[in-house]
């Protein structure tokens, strides 16, 4: 923490060795952006935190400073909520006077600008989060743009219904009854650090289509892409006060969740913090949607196409350094092919090129923070201490940066923490099962989570029977981590409330009003 004027470390993002190899124009844009103080966006203005405090954001590949951003707290949240409240409550505001078509055009322009600045945004995401640049551009940035483009079309398609009611108040009475879909009001949105730009898009796209106003609180570990997105939203013509961005720590998120001026809170993150969000929201009974953790099973039958299944199951756990809420971290393998699959997954893990995200050869970057690095290694140690074995991986990589080896654990038991709890790192538990399908379904469902799952088999009947019985919000068959803006995503049980993406996500930000008029 610091109360001084924001400064830049000389060996941060702008150093030649860090940005070497990037196109000169992109490198300069990134250098210019991180070289200025990261401020809060409140009521269309970029301002310092009320306290004047800043905090440092680090490059997880080097543990060096990328720069400093404003340390927002409760007072800043109050100012941001006030701006969002004025924007929404004033029916003469530019935002409330916008037609659905005009609103959709602004949302579409945001997607266009993300595409136009894709290289710059991808570099910012890689520097701040650690993921490989190729993934940041092809997945995070591309899907973020697509989400805004998809949601822009829904702005003109939010409709109510007419209802032929049967009420009778007097002989010959007639009624016109219909429903209206109206924006819920002011929304607090709190996003995680594993897909910073994409999670901002998942939250903001449907919210803007619905016509609400927003206070967005990015994760303190990865604030940069959200701040750059704020600039692009203003450039797209989004009226002042519609989206306000407050960077800070958990105290800022808690203040946002508890604020009486907020009508609804949307959170993506851990189940542990999700419980705190629910408690904080109870004061004024604000609406809550939650996209939380997972301990997702993959079921690999002995009739699967082994080349597809082994590489696919490896992708299901090692993608994004395993820092995915839907990571397929419990791999149930039919006994007849267990040894073959474990060897295959281990071989896949050993082939992964680990390094800084800006290295074009890197396939797996560092974990995002020192805290997460310590947590993941702690889980691996607990598993090994409890009797698990690691055919590959199990340790850190190098002595600089938050790198962890992709790890396969065998000889685990259901009571082990590595089997029960979300690790959020590149660690998979390989668990054998016999051919009786009831046993593997029971084991796969033996969790408090229900976010995602995967099935690997050539038997399409078996695939769909298994999919029907798995308690999860998403089931992938012979693939994993396939996302689309039109497909809803969310979980059962402790994996959350509500859905992201698809037209389902609009309901998170809408109220239904019934109107009845007597005609005769």
């Amino acid at each position: 923490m610091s109360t001084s004027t924001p400064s830049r470390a000389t060996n941060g993002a702008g150093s030649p060795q860090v940005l070497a190899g990037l196109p000169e124009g992109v490198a300069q844009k990134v250098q210019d952006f991180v070289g200025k103080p990261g401020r809060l966006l409140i009521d269309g203005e970029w301002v310092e935190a009320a306290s004047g405090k800043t905090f440092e954001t680090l490059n997880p590949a080097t543990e060096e400073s990328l720069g400093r951003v404003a340390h927002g707290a409760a007072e800043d949240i109050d100012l941001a909520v006030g701006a969002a409240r004025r924007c929404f409550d004033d029916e003469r505001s530019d935002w409330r006077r916008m037609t659905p078509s005009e609103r959709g055009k602004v949302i579409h322009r945001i997607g266009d600008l993300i595409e136009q600045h894709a290289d710059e945004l991808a570099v910012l995401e890689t520097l701040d989060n650690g993921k490989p640049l190729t993934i940041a551009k092809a997945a995070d940035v591309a899907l973020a743009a697509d989400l805004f483009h998809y949601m822009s079309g829904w702005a003109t398609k939010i409709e109510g219904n007419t209802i032929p009611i049967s009420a009778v108040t007097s002989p010959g009475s007639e009624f016109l009854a219909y429903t209206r879909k109206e924006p819920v009001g002011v929304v607090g949105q709190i996003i995680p650090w594993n897909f910073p730009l994409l999670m901002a898009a998942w939250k903001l796209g449907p919210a803007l289509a619905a016509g609400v106003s927003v206070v967005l609180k990015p994760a303190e570990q990865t604030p940069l892409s959200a701040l750059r997105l704020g600039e692009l939203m203003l450039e797209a013509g989004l009226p002042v006060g519609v989206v306000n961005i407050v960077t800070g720590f958990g105290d800022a998120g808690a203040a946002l969740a508890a604020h009486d001026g907020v009508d609804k809170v949307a959170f993506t993150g851990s189940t542990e913090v999700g419980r705190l969000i629910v408690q904080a929201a109870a004061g004024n009974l604000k609406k809550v949607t939650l996209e939380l953790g997972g301990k997702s099973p993959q079921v690999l039958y002995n009739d699967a196409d082994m080349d597809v299944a082994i590489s696919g199951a490896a992708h299901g756990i090692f993608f994004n350094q395993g820092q995915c809420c839907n990571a397929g971290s419990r791999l149930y393998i039919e006994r007849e092919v267990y040894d073959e699959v474990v060897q295959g997954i281990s071989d896949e893990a050993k082939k992964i090129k680990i390094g800084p995200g800006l290295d074009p050869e890197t396939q797996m970057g560092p974990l995002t923070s020192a805290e997460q690095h310590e947590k993941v290694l702690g889980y691996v140690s607990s598993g090994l201490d409890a009797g698990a074995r690691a055919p590959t991986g199990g340790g850190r990589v190098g002595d600089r940066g938050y790198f962890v080896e992709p790890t396969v654990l065998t000889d685990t038991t259901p009571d082990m923490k590595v089997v029960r709890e979300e690790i959020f790192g590149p660690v998979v538990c390989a668990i054998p099962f016999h051919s009786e399908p009831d046993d593997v379904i029971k084991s796969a469902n033996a969790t408090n989570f229900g976010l995602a799952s995967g099935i690997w088999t050539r038997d399409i009947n078996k695939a769909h029977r298994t999919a029907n019985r798995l308690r999860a919000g998403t089931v992938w068959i012979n693939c994993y981590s396939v996302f689309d803006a039109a497909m809803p995503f969310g979980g059962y049980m402790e994996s959350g409330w509500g859905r992201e993406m698809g037209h389902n996500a609009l309901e998170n930000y809408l109220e239904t009003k019934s109107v009845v008029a007597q005609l005769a």
Side-chain angles (χ1 to χ4, degrees), residues 6 16 28-29 36 79 119 154 221 247 300 306 410 475 494:
Q28 189 61 56
K29 287 180 181 178
K36 63 185 179 182
L79 292 171
D119 290 331
W154 277 107
Q221 297 90 345
T247 52
L300 197 156
M306 288 302 151
T410 61
V475 180
E494 293 183 15

Side-chain angles (χ1 to χ4, degrees), residues 57-285:
T57 185
L58 300 178
N59 181 341
T62 65
E63 303 181 45
E64 296 170 348
S65 175
L66 292 170
R68 305 191 73 85
V69 298
H71 181 177
E75 184 175 355
D76 305 288
I77 291 292
D78 193 52
L79 292 171
V81 171
R85 190 84 261 170
R86 289 190 299 275
C87 175
F88 184 81
D89 288 345
D90 184 358
E91 294 186 0
R92 298 169 299 175
S93 71
D94 291 343
W95 183 235
R96 294 301 299 276
R97 287 164 61 91
M98 266 190 178
T99 66
S101 179
E102 290 169 337
R103 197 163 67 240
K105 289 176 182 177
V106 171
I107 298 168
H108 202 279
R109 282 198 293 272
I110 295 170
D112 290 345
L113 287 169
I114 290 173
E115 288 184 335
Q116 291 171 25
H117 295 269
D119 290 331
E120 174 193 352
L121 287 166
V123 173
L124 287 174
E125 205 77 325
T126 292
L127 288 171
D128 218 12
N129 169 274
K131 66 183 63 191
L133 182 61
T134 52
I135 299 300
K137 185 175 180 181
D140 300 53
V141 177
L143 291 175
D146 186 54
L147 192 285
F148 280 107
H149 286 153
Y150 172 82
M151 285 298 171
S152 70
W154 277 107
T156 56
K157 301 171 185 66
I158 298 172
E159 303 170 342
N161 299 292
T162 56
I163 304 171
I165 64 174
S166 301
V168 177
T169 59
S170 61
S173 59
E174 292 183 37
F175 299 90
L176 171 64
Y178 61 94
T179 59
R180 287 171 50 87
K181 293 289 188 178
E182 299 181 349
V184 70
V186 173
V187 177
Q189 299 184 324
I190 303 170
I191 58 174
W193 43 258
N194 57 335
F195 294 92
L197 179 67
L198 184 56
M199 293 300 99
W202 279 21
K203 290 287 186 286
L204 291 169
L208 297 179
V212 306
S213 58
V214 175
V215 177
L216 178 73
K217 193 275 178 188
E220 62 268 24
Q221 297 90 345
T222 53
L224 296 181
S225 59
L227 295 176
R228 184 67 181 107
L229 178 60
E231 293 181 346
L232 296 179
M233 287 190 291
L234 293 179
E235 184 179 339
L238 195 68
V240 300
V242 179
V243 173
N244 306 271
I245 302 174
V246 178
T247 52
F249 289 75
D251 58 333
L256 182 58
H259 201 290
D260 285 341
V262 173
D263 301 298
K264 182 253 165 54
V265 62
F267 170 76
T268 295
S270 70
T271 297
E272 178 185 11
V273 176
R275 291 191 178 94
L276 298 176
I277 296 291
V278 172
Q279 294 170 14
N284 66 340
L285 294 179

Side-chain angles (χ1 to χ4, degrees), residues 134-475:
T134 52
I135 299 300
K137 185 175 180 181
D140 300 53
V141 177
L143 291 175
D146 186 54
L147 192 285
F148 280 107
H149 286 153
Y150 172 82
M151 285 298 171
S152 70
W154 277 107
T156 56
K157 301 171 185 66
I158 298 172
E159 303 170 342
N161 299 292
T162 56
I163 304 171
I165 64 174
S166 301
V168 177
T169 59
S170 61
S173 59
E174 292 183 37
F175 299 90
L176 171 64
Y178 61 94
T179 59
R180 287 171 50 87
K181 293 289 188 178
E182 299 181 349
V184 70
V186 173
V187 177
Q189 299 184 324
I190 303 170
I191 58 174
W193 43 258
N194 57 335
F195 294 92
L197 179 67
L198 184 56
M199 293 300 99
W202 279 21
K203 290 287 186 286
L204 291 169
L208 297 179
V212 306
S213 58
V214 175
V215 177
L216 178 73
K217 193 275 178 188
E220 62 268 24
Q221 297 90 345
T222 53
L224 296 181
S225 59
L227 295 176
R228 184 67 181 107
L229 178 60
E231 293 181 346
L232 296 179
M233 287 190 291
L234 293 179
E235 184 179 339
L238 195 68
V240 300
V242 179
V243 173
N244 306 271
I245 302 174
V246 178
T247 52
F249 289 75
D251 58 333
L256 182 58
H259 201 290
D260 285 341
V262 173
D263 301 298
K264 182 253 165 54
V265 62
F267 170 76
T268 295
S270 70
T271 297
E272 178 185 11
V273 176
R275 291 191 178 94
L276 298 176
I277 296 291
V278 172
Q279 294 170 14
N284 66 340
L285 294 179
K286 59 174 62 68
K287 299 182 185 316
V288 177
T289 49
L290 305 166
E291 200 268 278
L292 304 176
K295 191 67 180 175
S296 299
Q298 300 190 68
V299 178
L300 197 156
Y301 289 105
N302 63 13
D303 61 358
D305 181 326
M306 288 302 151
D307 290 338
V308 172
I310 288 172
S311 63
H315 171 78
I317 180 60
F318 298 136
F319 175 71
N320 205 52
Q321 297 74 248
Q323 296 175 140
C324 301
C325 52
N326 60 277
S329 55
R330 291 182 295 140
L331 179 58
Y332 293 94
I333 308 165
E334 200 157 1
R335 170 61 72 181
E336 290 88 339
V337 294
Y338 179 79
D339 292 340
E340 176 187 355
V341 172
V342 168
Q343 184 62 54
I345 296 285
S346 299
D347 290 343
E348 290 288 323
K350 292 171 185 176
K351 290 189 294 186
I352 294 173
K353 169 74 166 138
I354 301 171
L358 292 183
D359 184 334
E361 295 184 0
T362 291
Q363 296 171 304
M364 179 181 286
L367 301 185
T368 299
S369 68
E371 178 184 9
Q372 189 63 19
H373 187 247
E374 181 179 351
K375 176 186 173 185
V376 170
L377 290 175
Y379 268 114
V380 173
S381 294
S382 77
L384 296 175
D385 290 345
R389 187 174 63 86
T392 190
R396 70 171 296 163
V397 177
D399 56 6
R400 184 187 188 195
Y402 309 131
F403 297 95
V404 171
E405 293 176 308
T407 300
V408 178
L409 295 179
T410 61
D411 301 333
T412 60
T413 56
D415 60 308
M416 290 183 182
K417 288 173 60 177
V418 290
V419 176
R420 292 185 294 105
E421 299 180 13
E422 183 178 40
I423 298 174
F424 221 65
V427 182
V428 62
C429 296
I431 304 164
F433 73 91
H434 295 285
S435 58
E436 178 55 53
D438 286 344
D439 291 342
V440 71
I441 296 297
K442 183 178 179 180
S443 297
N445 286 338
T447 174
N448 293 330
F449 299 106
L451 189 57
S453 55
I455 301 166
W456 303 93
T457 177
R458 286 190 175 97
D459 185 334
I460 196 65
N461 293 326
K462 183 189 295 181
H464 287 293
R465 287 198 305 270
T466 303
N468 290 345
R469 297 178 64 190
L470 289 173
R471 296 276 294 161
T474 296
V475 180

